[in-house]
Amino acid sequence: MSWFDYQDPTPARITFDEWDDLFQQIPDELIDQFHYFPPNQEAWSKYLFPPQVFAIYGARHLRRLKFDNSLAALRLWGFVQNEIERLFRARQVGKKVVAVMGDLGPLAVIVNSVAARAGSSKDGGGCVAFYPDCWWWTPFAMESKVLLDKAAELGIGDATCFSRAALGAFAKHSYFPDPDLVIAATGASCDDYSGVESLVAKMVPEVVWVETPLRRVEPEARERVERMVVEEYQRVLKKLEELTGVKVTEAMLQQGIRRANHLRRLTQRLKELAYGYGVFPALETMVVEFGCLHGYSDIVEWTAIVEHLVQTGEARLAAGKTVLALDSLRIGWVTPPADPLLLCYVEDRGARIVASEYVINQALSLIDESVPPLLGIARSLLTGSLIGTSRERAEMFVTAAQGRRAEGVIVSGILGGSHCAMESRLIGDYIKQKLDIPILEFDVAPPNKAIDRQTQTRIDAFLELVRSRR
Amino acid sequence: MAILDSARLESLRLERFEELTGLKAQGKKVVGYFCLYAPVEIVQAAGAIPVRLARADYGSALAGERFLRADACPFCKASLGKFVQDPLYQLVDGVVIVNTCDMMRRLPEALTTNFSVPVFLLYLPRTSELFPNRLQGFQAGLSDLKAWLGGLTGQEWQEERLLEAIDEANQLRRKLQELDQTRAEMPPKISGGELFDIVALATLLPPKRMLNLLNDLLAVLRKPAEAMNKNRARLLLTGSILSEEDRTLIEIVEEKADIVADTVCTGSRWFNEEITVAEEPFAGLARFYFSRTPCACRRPNTALFEYIKQQVAARKVQGIVSKSLLYCDAYRFEVKQLRQEVGLPVLEVDGDYSQVNRQQLRTRVEAFLEMLR
Ligand code: SF4
Ligand code: SF4
């Protein structure tokens, strides 16, 4: 049986328990078809399980979320939740595990280009890129402060972004295998994370440091900055060649770029489907956006999943079926990643997200295929949200919000997140100036079972205000 | 015995302020800078007067909260507050900011949006390994700075002025090293507080005048000193930038111990190295600023730890006081590491500029000193 033959129910957001019931209706032959590290088809690499399975293994937060009820979305959740297992399995089947940190996207394109070539044999060989940065969500998913406490023990406490969970994960040695190589980018990006990298560097044998310079717009300076990044990447390539024994050719990089662009185009389309036509909820859309960073440690299977999602969305659009009412309040969200619970809550209150700025622009912009590969990748890095001024970041968002006629904007920050402290107000002021719509600013609370009452009340009042302006 | 009492210091500052006001009236440009990575020699060579803006206190930090969130770096908040409150800040015609940390990198926007002060943001690579591409990128930034300053002052660039400025700066750094060396003695001849005050003055006065003053101070120090207590604990101070107006911790510590070494950017790291001009001056400047003893925010920052260890050994340091400003990731994150790498007891103090916990701080310092006995 192929998934083409499976009939999704009427699109809806469903609860954790409802997924359990729905899962019973998915035929076993279908479940058997989905494996990570394709083309391998071994029994150990299946991942299509309902959220319950992952809740049992610790992702307790899932019990409080609402999910899209399509098979494609189930595939997404099973795959994303299975990343820890996948990374340990990568090591078992002989892949090199490469941690890329701090640049949110471009470095993984380089590593995955090597992986594509060296890993084309049935399963073993090659390398897998992953972002420890993404362990940020683990304390939320597990409703546990274990990783944050560990980070505090190592020197990074409360007044810091939740990305400190990555440090805890390195120290615990049980969330991913000890990487064969750590590549860490730092520069005009994020201090909180640079601090995490600095302490990680003291735990691992070696770190390849990569400079992320400030974006410059004047043509001469821009070229100079691009050249600087290209040379940083050349050093990375050399390290990867030493690690894998594979000579990295321009053709391999071009292939890697094409694949990254394919994924980025799919993601753009999925965002259009979700934000423009309400055929997907904000939560899955956010998870897909973040998938552009590294494909959740398996870019090939992840791309197939996003293809599946886009096809589902197109089919819904063609059939005129939406998940969220089109007349819901149209909200834009600017933040480091929004808390999944908050995204669900806002939708429960009759709103839908129509524009977002989740600080990962560099993972979403298309890489220029007409220039030498490393230059193309360098240019994509330099489109990053945090690499320029706060005003540029605000402008990117304002364009998106205007395009989707956002009626209100949420700017959520993190207490102690170094860029939040400096730019929340600059961004808020700029948006106010340009859009003249209500803005709600708050900090995302630490991992918790429920949204705190104060934030809830503020969101309710904000949505009321937006509604009253209709 | 204080070698420069507070009344004298204040009058020197005041005189300089009046002098700057006069020079400004004659068309001279005053350029402010915060960070020790700002190449003051280029500012001078461009015909402007560099003045370090390192005055921050609780009042100015509160004033800065009009423009930034409460959880922004207290130094950055205070710097904005000073543009509202401090006549010296209001004198500046332009500011050079180096992107040392996230907060600093975003200060230009806050400054231009709220005060319309022209700002040049100099990009210093955050990675500290000296690779040619990084150095070239930084050097190109120095050339951009030169052009920006030219636009500000309207003066022709004169290479000799740059060489002269480098020479003066080197002389000043050497003299300060000599002065600092007296802290190595047992007992030290000057206190940590005095050294910090003198460094602050050196960033305000013209180099020649400062050199003369330093010569006078050194002459005083060469005379036999009154007997000082040899038994006080010898400490090293490290951490975030220490503002000129934030002396609480030093005062409390030095009631009972001596700060004989430091790695603070408003202290010994301001003068501990010199520029070599064996090559083209801009190349020499780029190399010098790129590879100064790194701020904790650079990656890797191993050389900072090396500097600390070397100071500890050379000055017979018995304990370390680490002061981080609230929300200063660069320094706060490294304290545990410091403990492990240096192997000495570390007193970790963090805070903003508020005075409310002064008594509590004294108790902590005393307990720490007790432990060192
Ligand atoms: S959310 Fe912001 S502060 Fe946190 S790791 Fe990302 S960029 Fe850094
Ligand atoms: S004190 Fe820390 S946060 Fe503040 S400007 Fe300096 S390095 Fe940045």
Side-chain angles (χ1 to χ4, degrees):
Chain A
M1 180 186 188
S2 149
W3 55 264
F4 293 111
D5 306 320
Y6 173 80
Q7 195 61 49
D8 271 332
T10 304
R13 292 163 70 232
I14 58 174
T15 64
F16 179 84
D17 293 327
E18 284 165 338
W19 244 129
D20 210 19
D21 297 337
L22 188 60
F23 188 74
Q24 310 308 323
Q25 293 162 34
I26 298 181
D28 287 350
E29 311 93 272
L30 203 51
I31 294 170
D32 283 344
Q33 283 186 16
F34 301 114
H35 293 261
Y36 57 80
F37 296 154
N40 124 77
Q41 289 290 313
E42 303 292 340
W44 49 256
S45 58
K46 284 194 255 183
Y47 64 84
L48 194 75
F49 301 109
Q52 280 78 358
V53 171
F54 303 102
I56 291 167
Y57 285 106
R60 298 160 60 82
H61 200 53
L62 293 173
R63 294 177 305 169
R64 284 173 247 287
L65 302 179
K66 288 221 180 113
F67 308 90
D68 183 88
N69 66 349
S70 63
L71 177 65
L74 182 69
R75 234 179 128 178
L76 167 146
W77 285 108
F79 188 76
V80 168
Q81 293 295 328
N82 162 286
E83 190 178 4
I84 293 181
E85 176 194 310
R86 193 155 53 247
L87 281 169
F88 280 101
R89 193 71 76 179
R91 168 62 51 78
Q92 282 173 8
V93 298
K95 293 180 192 292
K96 301 283 184 201
V97 177
V98 180
V100 276
M101 303 176 74
D103 83 325
L104 303 180
L107 279 168
V109 177
I110 297 178
V111 181
N112 282 329
S113 301
V114 184
R117 164 69 183 277
S120 59
S121 63
K122 192 156 177 281
D123 37 61
C127 49
V128 170
F130 80 105
Y131 274 92
D133 316 26
C134 296
W135 262 253
W136 145 303
W137 281 120
T138 316
F140 287 89
M142 298 196 158
E143 291 173 6
S144 140
K145 298 222 170 92
V146 173
L147 292 184
L148 302 180
D149 291 345
K150 188 70 197 170
E153 240 175 66
L154 295 165
I156 305 193
D158 274 357
T160 315
C161 169
F162 305 116
S163 62
R164 66 190 191 272
L167 178 65
F170 263 98
K172 291 258 171 202
H173 303 281
S174 41
Y175 292 78
F176 42 79
D178 291 347
D180 295 289
L181 180 66
V182 177
I183 307 170
T186 186
S189 39
C190 163
D191 274 357
D192 293 58
Y193 207 63
S194 184
V196 168
E197 292 172 328
S198 180
L199 297 192
V200 166
K202 283 149 189 157
M203 289 177 188
V204 299
E206 190 196 6
V207 165
V208 182
W209 290 103
V210 178
E211 180 66 34
T212 301
L214 199 65
R215 175 169 46 239
R216 294 283 299 270
V217 285
E218 317 85 311
E220 192 274 324
R222 200 191 63 207
E223 276 173 34
R224 189 207 303 159
V225 167
E226 288 170 358
R227 270 199 309 276
M228 185 201 245
V229 179
V230 166
E231 286 186 41
E232 296 291 307
Y233 289 165
Q234 282 162 347
R235 269 194 294 279
V236 169
L237 275 186
K238 212 159 153 262
K239 274 282 163 196
L240 283 170
E241 290 182 342
E242 282 166 24
L243 178 77
T244 59
V246 172
K247 173 88 191 102
V248 185
T249 63
E250 191 142 319
M252 285 160 68
L253 289 166
Q254 280 159 346
Q255 200 193 347
I257 289 174
R258 277 195 296 276
R259 195 189 14 225
N261 277 344
H262 175 53
L263 179 58
R264 291 172 187 204
R265 281 194 193 93
L266 287 169
T267 303
Q268 278 173 6
R269 180 61 188 153
L270 189 105
K271 279 176 76 176
E272 265 167 42
L273 289 167
Y275 294 171
Y277 305 103
V279 299
F280 276 114
L283 179 55
E284 277 83 0
T285 308
M286 180 173 82
V287 175
V288 169
E289 261 198 48
F290 275 82
C292 283
L293 263 66
H294 66 302
Y296 297 101
S297 307
D298 179 354
I299 186 94
V300 178
E301 184 59 14
W302 175 248
T303 305
I305 293 170
V306 182
E307 278 165 356
H308 190 175
L309 282 159
V310 170
Q311 282 164 16
T312 305
E314 300 288 9
R316 286 175 175 182
L317 180 64
K321 292 175 180 169
T322 63
V323 173
L324 295 156
L326 279 175
D327 63 352
S328 311
L329 301 171
R330 295 184 302 277
I331 303 298
W333 206 309
V334 183
T335 180
D339 180 340
L341 213 49
L342 291 172
L343 284 178
C344 288
Y345 184 72
V346 167
E347 288 183 339
D348 285 343
R349 310 301 289 181
R352 64 188 188 88
I353 308 305
V354 297
S356 56
E357 212 305 309
Y358 294 149
V359 298
I360 56 162
N361 205 49
Q362 61 272 47
L364 306 174
S365 60
L366 291 181
I367 303 170
D368 186 349
E369 293 180 28
S370 67
V371 298
L374 292 185
L375 179 60
I377 299 172
R379 285 188 181 160
S380 78
L381 169 82
L382 293 166
T383 63
S385 311
L386 290 183
I387 286 158
T389 60
S390 304
R391 188 184 180 111
E392 284 166 356
R393 189 173 168 219
E395 278 166 356
M396 287 179 201
F397 173 76
V398 163
T399 311
Q402 270 166 338
R404 296 261 175 249
R405 295 181 300 115
E407 299 167 281
V409 176
I410 296 179
V411 181
S412 61
I414 290 158
L415 183 82
S418 47
H419 64 96
C420 301
M422 293 296 285
E423 72 179 2
S424 292
R425 208 161 285 178
L426 290 164
I427 290 180
D429 288 350
Y430 183 76
I431 297 174
K432 250 177 239 152
Q433 229 180 60
K434 290 284 165 188
L435 296 181
D436 190 27
I437 53 178
I439 297 183
L440 172 67
E441 273 181 53
F442 60 82
D443 282 335
V444 172
N448 205 342
K449 287 191 183 63
I451 303 171
D452 63 87
R453 190 163 288 280
Q454 199 199 2
T455 308
Q456 231 176 62
T457 316
R458 294 188 64 198
I459 292 178
D460 292 348
F462 165 73
L463 293 178
E464 241 358 278
L465 174 65
V466 174
R467 191 166 283 118
S468 71
R469 286 169 50 111
R470 274 203 164 164
Chain B
M1 179 197 70
I3 56 165
L4 249 189
D5 61 41
S6 51
R8 174 93 200 282
L9 261 176
E10 202 41 47
S11 81
L12 283 168
R13 278 196 204 117
L14 218 61
E15 267 169 36
R16 179 60 172 160
F17 173 71
E18 277 156 16
E19 185 182 25
L20 286 173
T21 313
L23 287 167
K24 201 174 143 76
Q26 293 163 26
K28 268 273 190 191
K29 300 292 177 195
V30 179
V31 171
Y33 66 97
F34 299 103
C35 174
L36 59 59
Y37 285 107
V40 284
E41 298 82 358
I42 299 181
V43 177
Q44 271 171 284
I49 306 169
V51 169
R52 190 166 188 182
L53 306 174
R55 296 164 66 75
D57 57 13
Y58 189 57
S60 50
L62 270 187
E65 283 184 18
R66 248 176 67 200
F67 315 106
L68 296 176
R69 273 168 47 147
D71 62 340
C73 153
F75 180 75
C76 289
K77 284 191 291 185
S79 298
L80 287 174
K82 283 284 178 189
F83 275 88
V84 181
Q85 297 178 338
D86 192 322
L88 178 68
Y89 284 59
Q90 289 157 359
L91 266 190
V92 304
D93 299 287
V95 180
V96 178
I97 294 184
V98 187
N99 61 291
T100 44
C101 66
D102 264 359
M103 308 260 188
M104 267 294 159
R105 182 161 70 81
R106 291 196 165 76
L107 200 57
E109 280 182 86
L111 265 176
T112 43
T113 312
N114 299 299
F115 301 96
S116 316
V117 189
V119 180
F120 183 88
L121 178 62
L122 174 65
Y123 190 79
L124 169 77
R126 287 284 293 272
T127 43
S128 60
E129 302 129 317
L130 192 120
F131 291 124
N133 65 324
R134 295 174 185 169
L135 195 59
Q136 280 157 15
F138 180 54
Q139 191 176 327
L142 296 186
S143 301
D144 292 347
L145 170 63
K146 171 179 146 185
W148 180 82
L149 286 163
L152 193 74
T153 61
Q155 291 191 25
E156 281 286 309
W157 179 260
Q158 292 171 26
E159 199 75 359
E160 321 79 70
R161 263 203 318 225
L162 178 63
L163 294 172
E164 206 180 303
I166 293 175
D167 183 52
E168 277 178 3
N170 275 347
Q171 285 186 48
L172 191 55
R173 289 181 183 120
R174 269 197 294 275
K175 252 324 148 213
L176 285 165
Q177 286 165 20
E178 212 179 302
L179 184 79
D180 181 40
Q181 203 47 37
T182 67
R183 286 200 291 172
E185 293 176 26
M186 308 271 272
K189 283 209 166 138
I190 60 164
S191 70
E194 285 170 323
L195 183 100
F196 275 85
D197 286 342
I198 290 166
V199 174
L201 206 56
T203 64
L204 180 68
L205 299 190
K208 282 206 181 82
R209 195 176 313 156
M210 190 65 208
L211 272 168
N212 289 338
L213 181 68
L214 283 169
N215 280 329
D216 293 348
L217 296 178
L218 281 162
V220 174
L221 289 173
R222 273 183 213 112
K223 292 186 191 144
E226 41 186 274
M228 285 176 80
N229 186 347
K230 281 196 182 177
N231 298 324
R232 286 158 54 108
R234 297 172 64 82
L235 305 177
L236 176 141
L237 178 70
T238 186
S240 316
I241 189 167
L242 199 76
S243 101
E244 279 172 59
E245 294 167 319
D246 181 21
R247 291 287 184 261
T248 312
L249 175 68
I250 301 193
E251 280 165 17
I252 290 176
V253 170
E254 294 205 317
E255 283 167 8
K256 299 208 163 111
D258 293 317
I259 296 174
V260 297
D262 73 86
T263 67
V264 178
C265 68
T266 40
S268 82
R269 274 180 43 238
W270 195 74
F271 56 78
N272 70 332
E273 290 143 334
E274 290 161 44
I275 306 174
T276 320
V277 209
E279 43 201 334
E280 192 270 311
F282 265 69
L285 277 172
R287 186 175 291 274
F288 169 75
Y289 279 101
F290 185 98
S291 37
R292 312 187 71 152
T293 307
C295 171
C297 68
R298 298 193 71 198
R299 305 283 173 255
N301 53 21
T302 341
L304 175 64
F305 285 88
E306 290 311 318
Y307 179 55
I308 295 175
K309 284 189 239 173
Q310 177 227 318
Q311 292 281 300
V312 162
R315 304 221 166 161
K316 302 193 169 41
V317 169
Q318 296 158 300
I320 296 179
V321 179
S322 171
K323 158 95 195 246
S324 313
L325 284 172
L326 276 181
Y327 305 110
C328 173
D329 301 341
Y331 284 93
R332 259 183 327 118
F333 290 3
E334 304 283 339
V335 181
K336 286 259 155 52
Q337 193 61 32
L338 183 68
R339 233 175 231 125
Q340 272 168 25
E341 282 210 22
V342 186
L344 284 182
V346 177
L347 173 67
E348 184 180 351
V349 178
D350 65 11
D352 47 19
Y353 301 119
S354 99
Q355 297 283 326
V356 283
N357 55 1
R358 202 180 163 99
Q359 199 44 44
Q360 190 197 10
L361 183 62
R362 177 173 279 111
T363 313
R364 288 190 61 204
V365 169
E366 283 170 1
F368 178 70
L369 295 176
E370 242 352 278
M371 193 180 78
L372 295 182
R373 289 237 164 95

